[in-house]
Amino acid sequence: AQSVSQHNHHVILSEAASLELGCNYSYGGTVNLFWYVQYPGQHLQLLLKYFSEDPLVKGIKGFEAEFIKSKFSFNLRKPSVQWSDTAEYFCAVNPSGGSYIPTFGRGTSLIVHP
Amino acid sequence: NAGVTQTPKFQVLKTGQSMTLQCAQDMNHNSMYWYRQDPGMGLRLIYYSASEGTTDKGEVPNGYNVSRLNKREFSLRLESAAPSQTSVYFCASTRRRQGGSGYTFGSGTRLTVV
């Protein structure tokens, strides 16, 4: 079975700072990878996804993530965060093909101070 | 386009009471899921339905039952609520085996069991 590890549980940044949230997974085969965002009091929304194309994936709101297969990583980045990026971020992975049951990481809470 | 609709949004139950959480999607998705979200635990899968007519246990199924009423609707039932079931519950759906869109989540049900 696959597993996902998000190393940063809480991140606090000032506006305009750069962001990188770590995500590592364990699974021996081909995977699909996702980042979801949950704004305060809201449901999860898909931020970006990787499905075996270019390992550098561009998402909404200026976010991007890089899939490094050799490191089993899919880190989320943004060059300059805004106060409105305050949210919880979840990494998810599921094996390609077969039953579509992704496994979620425990989440990273990001607080951006204005 | 409503996406995934969950009802109710909030509920308070006494220990031992029963209730059903409703979920409906209008995107013609094949697969539907119930997750619970607890602080520091991320999202944990309770039950899922890969297609109409099938249901399977997830990571934390004890104390819950589900019904895939038709392709659109997937309900979660608590037969005898316990304080440990205090949580936020999310329903999600996706196209099975397409793997192209990730999950679409409902807005959640915040349940408190006293």
Side-chain angles (χ1 to χ4, degrees), chain B residues 51-110:
Chain B
S51 61
E52 186 179 355
T54 68
T55 61
D56 287 285
K57 295 179 180 180
E59 180 185 356
V60 288
N62 291 343
Y64 305 95
N65 283 300
V66 291
S67 295
R68 182 74 183 266
L69 304 171
N70 47 55
K71 190 171 186 179
R72 291 187 62 249
E73 298 172 287
F74 187 40
S75 62
L76 178 72
R77 182 161 179 82
L78 287 70
E79 291 290 352
S80 179
S84 61
Q85 294 177 305
T86 293
S87 186
V88 181
Y89 292 84
F90 287 102
C91 178
S93 70
T94 191
R95 289 191 184 280
R96 187 186 180 197
R97 297 184 187 274
Q98 180 184 15
S101 60
Y103 274 176
T104 300
F105 282 86
S107 57
T109 297
R110 186 172 295 273

Side-chain angles (χ1 to χ4, degrees), chain A residues 7-24:
Chain A
H7 308 295
N8 316 101
H9 299 297
H10 300 280
V11 174
I12 301 174
L13 295 173
S14 297
E15 273 194 320
S18 64
L19 170 71
E20 181 161 2
L21 301 182
C23 174
N24 287 89

Side-chain angles (χ1 to χ4, degrees), chain A residues 32 34 36 38 42-44 46 49 51 88 90 97-102 104-106, chain B residues 33 35 37 40-43 45 48 50 90 94 97 99-103 105-107:
Chain A
N32 301 322
F34 308 86
Y36 286 85
Q38 185 179 29
Q42 296 189 25
H43 61 281
L44 277 78
L46 184 64
K49 60 191 179 187
F51 276 88
E88 192 147 11
F90 293 90
S99 207
Y100 186 71
I101 308 291
F104 285 83
R106 293 192 172 189
Chain B
Y33 309 80
Y35 282 89
Q37 184 181 28
M41 301 295 289
L43 285 140
L45 183 64
Y48 66 99
F90 287 102
T94 191
R97 297 184 187 274
S101 60
Y103 274 176
F105 282 86
S107 57

